[in-house]
């Protein structure tokens, strides 16, 4: 079974409802762009690359629903929809990257009809490129995974977080496809349990050995010598290599550093934000307290207690051994290596001899 | 409201059912010692000092229920009950300390009648001494807490984990009683959520400001400079100062070290086990996987996934800034300072000029 959390089916966008996993596998069809924006907010679809892809497709639905009129009116209405998507979630930069990419296409179109057609084509390119990028990330990244490795991962940077194959889990899948034996330890990743409910589910589907741990067990396992390598995804990478990712990644990175275990970040170029100098410039989403105080709809917290719920944290570049992208493996100093990768990718997509997927 | 999780009411032992907190406050009366052993296993009562106290009281119930016969028969049957209590939970040494203390009393008794009376007296002494020890721990420990401190704690080392007042939370209570302002951050402490459900509940009762965080947020808060000090309890402390405590304590200790934040362990002398040279000799309880795969009776894990559930981990002495006991503050080298404290306490309890109680 191929996991495709964001895909077209005719004129409908189909998302896997990730809030129902692992208990039920449900696909939902969307034809109204506003429902797609809501799905992003409510984390029906989540994971930085998947959010970007879903927004791109949502903007196609928006273009379809706007009455064909003067191009200026069409454009203005479509840009209002783009603003709604841009307001859904603040941290994952892939969202803004995808919206910008769709805007660039819109601005080359002279009629609503061509805009609809070309936006749809662009969305399909984004979906296609994401899977290809993840396979390339996997190929590069698996060279860093020793045979027999016991790999810790945090949250879900798998097929479900992307258009398919995954970033961190793409590296693991590629290692398995290369014939290596691995064992994955998945942090359950409170509050929303993406490690327990998404990563473990994905790996069980494919028969890749996985053990779920509570987030607070990672240090103990490292001390016992039972973790060889850590691989995680990213929601935004600053120009200096600071990495915003699911809350708890920073704790894992400190623990890995303390135990001399390499931590690798796997992410497509679209996750790199050169406009942000370092992690202090990355906005961190604060989500509803109920995500912490309730589990599966059941209140677990006492009444009257205060909680905080930052969805992400920032891991400073010095705790990151390497950043794996579709263009190869970036090493420190990241200010140089990441800029080179972004330039290389831009050359391929937009340059003369481009080989954009 | 005074929280007394282990107390006598006439001939019945009364425990607060901690598995029902914070939703319901339920006291359960026990007259059958086997039910008390089961309550310890199922964590109706938990926390190292509270486990020891409950076992001591359970052994009084055992003495009451054994038919008065020849002292040799009585003793043999009572010792079988003691073995049952010793098998309930392996890590917290206070359990074995309490059982040994009750055994010493039994071995000085010549008739079942006197054994019943003297065991009951000894259990009352254990209860009384525990609260006094915690108040002394609080007095010593609060000197380490700056005014305005933001204090991180893990699991529940509060009144609920003891006979009253608490160890780590005793230090915090004493700081508040000394007029200091504090803010407590409580790790929720998966899998059983003692931080969320017990520590937060205790502190809300008393109006001490508390914010609950998921376990994986502690590093982020430390990096932001929002934690000044960490205070935790202990389930067993080895002769060299290695500390077994609720799983996740080790991760917190590494994070504290990395950020230059002091970590203090608060525990009564009965938690120190000089017979164990270092942490590698402390047995770590592995509990049922359902504690990880289910929350509030609801399955959260996918079918077919493997989990582990070690209830404790070991924090090496070099990550512990000081160990706070009722005899004062032990500093490295712990091999010397802990031995001195144990000797001092033994002198008080068993020595000529003893001031036990």
């Amino acid at each position: 079974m191929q996991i495709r959390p964001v895909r077209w089916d005719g004129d409908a966008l189909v998302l896997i409802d990730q809030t129902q996993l692992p208990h039920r596998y449900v696909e939902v069809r969307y034809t109204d762009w506003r429902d797609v924006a809501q799905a992003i907010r409510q984390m029906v679809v989540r994971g930085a690359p998947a959010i970007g892809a879903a927004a791109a497709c949502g903007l196609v639905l928006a273009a379809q629903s706007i009455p064909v009129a003067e191009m200026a009116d069409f454009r203005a209405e479509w840009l209002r929809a783009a603003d709604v998507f841009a307001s859904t979630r603040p941290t994952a930069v892939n969202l803004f990257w995808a919206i910008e990419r769709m805007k660039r296409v819109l601005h080359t179109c002279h009629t609503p009809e061509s805009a609809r057609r070309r936006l749809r084509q662009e969305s399909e390119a984004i979906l296609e490129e994401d899977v290809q990028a993840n396979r390339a990330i996997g190929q590069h990244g698996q060279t860093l995974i020793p045979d027999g490795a016991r790999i810790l991962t945090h949250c879900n940077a798998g097929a479900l977080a992307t258009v398919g194959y995954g970033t961190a889990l793409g590296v693991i899948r590629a290692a398995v496809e290369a014939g290596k034996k691995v064992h994955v330890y998945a942090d359950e990743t409170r509050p929303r349990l993406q490690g327990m409910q998404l990563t473990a589910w994905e790996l069980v589907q494919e028969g890749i050995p996985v053990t779920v741990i509570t987030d607070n067990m990672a240090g103990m396992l490292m001390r016992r010598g039972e973790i060889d390598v850590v691989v995680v995804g990213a929601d935004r990478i600053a120009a200096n290599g600071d990495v915003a990712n699911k809350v708890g990644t920073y704790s894992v990175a400190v623990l890995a550093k303390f135990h001399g275990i390499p931590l690798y970040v796997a992410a497509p170029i679209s996750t790199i934000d050169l406009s942000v100098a370092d992690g202090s410039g990355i906005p961190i989403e604060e989500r509803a307290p109920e995500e912490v105080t309730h589990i599966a709809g059941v209140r677990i917290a006492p009444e009257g207690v205060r909680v905080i719920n930052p969805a992400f944290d920032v891991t400073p570049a010095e705790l990151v051994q390497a950043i794996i992208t579709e263009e190869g493996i970036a090493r420190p100093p990241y200010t140089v290596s990441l800029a080179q990768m972004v330039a290389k990718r831009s050359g391929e997509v937009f340059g003369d001899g481009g080989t954009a997927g």
Side-chain angles (χ1 to χ4, degrees), chain A residues 159-238:
Chain A
L160 288 167
T162 61
V163 180
Y165 203 69
T167 51
L169 296 194
V171 170
I172 292 167
R173 285 188 166 95
V176 171
E177 288 165 13
K180 295 175 188 173
K181 285 189 70 160
V182 302
H183 189 99
V184 179
Y185 286 91
D187 281 343
E188 67 173 1
T189 317
R190 278 278 288 150
R192 292 192 60 131
L193 298 167
Q194 294 96 331
M196 170 82 90
Q197 303 199 313
L198 304 180
T199 293
W201 179 82
E202 272 195 52
L203 296 177
V204 166
Q205 301 298 308
E206 298 190 23
I208 296 175
V210 56
T211 299
V212 173
I213 60 173
T214 60
D215 298 299
N216 57 25
M217 292 176 190
M220 182 211 66
L221 283 180
M222 290 183 188
R223 184 167 171 84
R224 284 191 193 164
E226 294 181 21
I227 302 292
D228 301 299
V229 53
V230 180
V231 188
V232 296
D235 290 82
R236 191 183 305 209
I237 302 174

Side-chain angles (χ1 to χ4, degrees), chain A residues 57-129:
Chain A
C57 297
L59 284 171
V60 174
L61 297 180
Q64 286 171 355
S65 69
I66 296 169
V68 175
E70 286 299 308
M71 187 60 195
D73 297 341
F74 178 92
R75 185 186 294 119
E77 198 163 334
W78 187 90
L79 288 171
R80 278 195 291 276
D83 286 345
V84 170
F85 279 103
S87 72
T88 50
R89 300 199 63 194
T91 304
V93 77
N94 314 61
L95 173 66
F96 307 101
W97 168 87
I99 293 169
E100 281 309 307
R101 190 164 157 175
M102 297 298 273
K103 278 186 187 173
R104 278 200 301 270
V105 169
L106 181 86
H107 289 308
T108 64
C109 296
H110 301 293
T111 66
E113 292 84 352
S114 72
R116 286 179 177 174
R117 191 180 65 250
R118 300 227 8 247
L119 288 169
R120 169 68 185 243
Q121 288 166 350
E122 191 71 6
S123 76
E124 288 172 6
I126 287 172
L127 299 188
E128 174 71 18
E129 286 168 30

Side-chain angles (χ1 to χ4, degrees), chain A residues 244-261:
Chain A
N245 192 45
K246 179 55 54 195
V247 69
T249 303
Y250 172 65
S251 290
V252 169
V254 170
L255 289 165
K257 183 77 167 183
F258 188 84
H259 294 89
I261 298 167

Side-chain angles (χ1 to χ4, degrees), chain A residues 277-317:
Chain A
D278 61 43
S280 67
I282 302 176
I284 299 297
E285 178 180 11
E286 178 81 22
R287 291 185 60 85
E290 289 72 21
E291 293 188 348
V292 175
T293 57
H294 292 65
I295 292 185
V298 179
R299 184 174 181 95
I300 56 171
E303 297 294 334
V305 75
R306 185 176 165 242
V307 302
I308 56 173
N309 187 18
F312 305 95
D313 61 23
V314 173
T315 297

